[in-house]
Amino acid sequence: MSATTTLSRERAAPRRRDAEATRAAILEAAKTHFARSGYDHAALRDIAADAGCDVALIKRYFGGKDALFVEALKASFHPDRLREWDRRAFPRDAAIMLANAAPIGEEPTHSFQFLLRTATSPTTAPLLNLAMQERFLAPIRDWLGGEDAPARARVMAAVYIGFLVERLIREKPLRGRERDVFIDRVTAIFEAMIAPSP
Amino acid sequence: MSATTTLSRERAAPRRRDAEATRAAILEAAKTHFARSGYDHAALRDIAADAGCDVALIKRYFGGKDALFVEALKASFHPDRLREWDRRAFPRDAAIMLANAAPIGEEPTHSFQFLLRTATSPTTAPLLNLAMQERFLAPIRDWLGGEDAPARARVMAAVYIGFLVERLIREKPLRGRERDVFIDRVTAIFEAMIAPSP
DNA sequence: GACCCAAGTCAACCATGATTGACATCTTGC
DNA sequence: GCAAGATGTCAATCATGGTTGACTTGGGTC
């Protein structure tokens, strides 16, 4: 939803036929559906229905399911968020975030569910390499900086993904001592990863 | 492949019509296909072809795709392997294994790829929790032992899964210094996880 | 040898879902 | 107003793949 883009406000005409808006609506719906259901189980008809338009428009605006997926994949990552994170606070903040329950459909998980679904499907795994490089590994590498940033970024990305997966399949929330131990251990791991090479 | 099970050798008759053998062949083929392609992309016709029989036999012997998948899932885990791992050598051995390229269909990864692919499909995702608990978390917990084993097992499983995902989507093999740093860091993480609580 | 049942084969059936082209309708420029 | 192109709709088409039932074949028993 939220198909009404704010751009070109000078054109007061509330034209109902707005290619740009429909395209954006399709992309938005696609992000949600792909993240929730994965590539295979996301039906273009459902996406179109959510976007409030016909399936055929997807072909017109994106070309096909593959192309739509790639666009949605690109649009689903917001690596800029990383820059806002404080280096000192990150390990524990991230650990606590991971210890808490993952609300289904909430924003932060969104893109990572996407990631997971993409990584584990043979169809889409190849597509992920590029996106990972550009949008995930590179930002982490820059954020880390220092010696051996590439290898360390790779390790950090892997660990982070692992915890996201764990949270995704966690059956019940962590409590009490288990939660505390979990947080402490995860914090230690993140701290070790951020630490520059000796 | 390897449809000739060794059991019942006393019955010298090389009967070509062997329900037990075909059933085993189907299961074996299913394990491979499901692990490599995931639930959705594994076609029963392909599995049957690999097993050297007709699709209809799958229905006869297993009932349907779902049931076959469950059987293959159960048969794909060998959590007992964990016991063989030496506590001291594990961190570095595991790190090196993860640094190397993942040969599709090789034994060690096999069951874990299976696990990961399971997460892809909404059909099979519910099965994942159970399998994770019984066949992954519990063995690790026992293997770790000591104080706070549950929380530590959770952390360790998550990290391990993360690295498996990373390896799945890794575009080219690690080399040189990047590989060395990767191994060192991963080793350190595993060592930290194995270490008992202070 | 005749017979019966398990084991295996074959050819449909059916649902799903992406793709496509023909068609309708709105918007805009003249 | 009116043509033309952009935008949106509709109903096939096509491929895939799981499911199913009728059929054939083999192999052991009487």
Side-chain angles (χ1 to χ4, degrees):
Chain A
M1 304 310 154
S2 78
T4 53
T5 46
T6 54
L7 47 88
S8 75
R9 188 181 293 268
E10 66 279 358
R11 186 189 293 262
R15 48 173 181 166
R16 266 175 310 199
R17 292 202 159 195
D18 189 338
E20 211 165 331
T22 6
R23 210 194 116 99
I26 290 171
L27 192 59
E28 192 55 36
K31 280 162 62 179
T32 305
H33 278 260
F34 282 136
R36 182 156 40 204
S37 316
Y39 179 84
D40 303 311
H41 288 84
L44 291 188
R45 284 189 172 83
D46 294 345
I47 293 175
D50 259 26
C53 70
D54 193 87
V55 208
L57 287 188
I58 293 181
K59 177 211 160 84
R60 168 136 45 211
Y61 289 135
F62 294 91
K65 193 178 188 179
D66 286 16
L68 175 62
F69 181 82
V70 172
E71 290 244 18
L73 182 63
K74 282 189 196 164
S76 268
F77 286 108
H78 307 288
D80 306 322
R81 293 263 174 84
L82 202 56
R83 275 185 218 129
E84 303 164 10
W85 273 342
D86 177 25
R87 238 189 188 61
R88 196 109 43 114
F90 169 78
R92 183 154 288 265
D93 285 354
I96 291 173
M97 188 264 282
L98 290 169
N100 294 335
I104 297 177
E106 288 277 321
E107 251 326 290
T109 354
H110 209 259
S111 60
F112 294 109
Q113 288 191 4
F114 207 143
L115 187 79
L116 174 64
R117 305 269 186 231
T118 309
T120 51
S121 170
T123 321
T124 51
L127 303 174
L128 190 56
N129 284 334
L130 189 65
M132 276 292 285
Q133 288 294 332
E134 283 181 15
R135 311 241 166 190
F136 204 62
L137 276 180
I140 291 181
R141 186 168 40 212
D142 295 345
W143 186 74
L144 279 173
E147 196 96 21
D148 296 318
R152 288 161 58 212
R154 191 180 291 278
V155 172
M156 182 162 160
V159 170
Y160 200 84
I161 289 173
F163 283 119
L164 288 167
V165 174
E166 195 279 323
R167 188 170 70 157
L168 218 56
I169 64 179
R170 191 184 300 157
E171 72 293 347
K172 54 173 181 259
L174 297 177
R175 292 190 188 288
R177 179 161 174 83
E178 186 179 5
R179 181 166 184 274
D180 295 340
V181 173
F182 181 88
I183 290 177
D184 285 348
R185 294 267 174 171
V186 176
T187 302
I189 289 175
F190 282 144
E191 272 168 355
M193 288 188 314
I194 289 183
S197 289
Chain B
M1 306 307 155
S2 75
T4 54
T5 46
T6 54
L7 48 87
S8 73
R9 186 181 295 269
E10 65 279 356
R11 186 189 291 261
R15 49 174 180 165
R16 271 177 305 199
R17 294 201 158 193
D18 189 337
E20 212 166 329
T22 21
R23 210 194 116 99
I26 290 172
L27 193 58
E28 191 55 37
K31 278 161 64 180
T32 306
H33 277 260
F34 282 136
R36 181 156 40 205
S37 316
Y39 179 82
D40 303 311
H41 288 85
L44 291 189
R45 285 188 170 84
D46 293 344
I47 293 175
D50 259 26
C53 70
D54 194 87
V55 208
L57 288 187
I58 293 181
K59 177 211 162 83
R60 178 166 308 173
Y61 290 135
F62 294 92
K65 192 179 190 181
D66 286 15
L68 175 62
F69 180 83
V70 172
E71 289 243 18
L73 182 63
K74 282 189 197 164
S76 265
F77 283 108
H78 311 286
D80 308 323
R81 291 267 173 83
L82 202 57
R83 278 185 217 127
E84 303 164 11
W85 272 342
D86 177 25
R87 240 190 187 61
R88 197 107 43 113
F90 169 77
R92 184 155 288 265
D93 286 354
I96 290 172
M97 190 263 281
L98 290 169
N100 293 335
I104 294 177
E106 287 277 320
E107 251 325 291
T109 355
H110 211 259
S111 61
F112 294 110
Q113 288 191 2
F114 206 143
L115 191 77
L116 285 179
R117 304 285 189 214
T118 308
T120 312
S121 170
T123 320
T124 55
L127 301 173
L128 188 58
N129 283 331
L130 189 64
M132 278 290 287
Q133 288 295 331
E134 283 181 14
R135 314 240 167 191
F136 204 62
L137 274 180
I140 291 181
R141 185 168 40 210
D142 295 344
W143 185 75
L144 280 174
E147 196 95 24
D148 298 319
R152 287 161 60 211
R154 191 180 292 278
V155 172
M156 184 163 159
V159 170
Y160 200 85
I161 287 176
F163 283 120
L164 287 170
V165 173
E166 193 279 323
R167 191 168 68 154
L168 265 183
I169 64 178
R170 193 185 297 157
E171 74 291 348
K172 54 175 183 259
L174 297 177
R175 293 189 189 289
R177 178 161 176 82
E178 186 179 6
R179 181 167 184 274
D180 296 339
V181 173
F182 181 88
I183 291 177
D184 285 347
R185 294 269 175 169
V186 176
T187 304
I189 289 175
F190 282 143
E191 272 168 356
M193 287 188 313
I194 289 182
S197 289

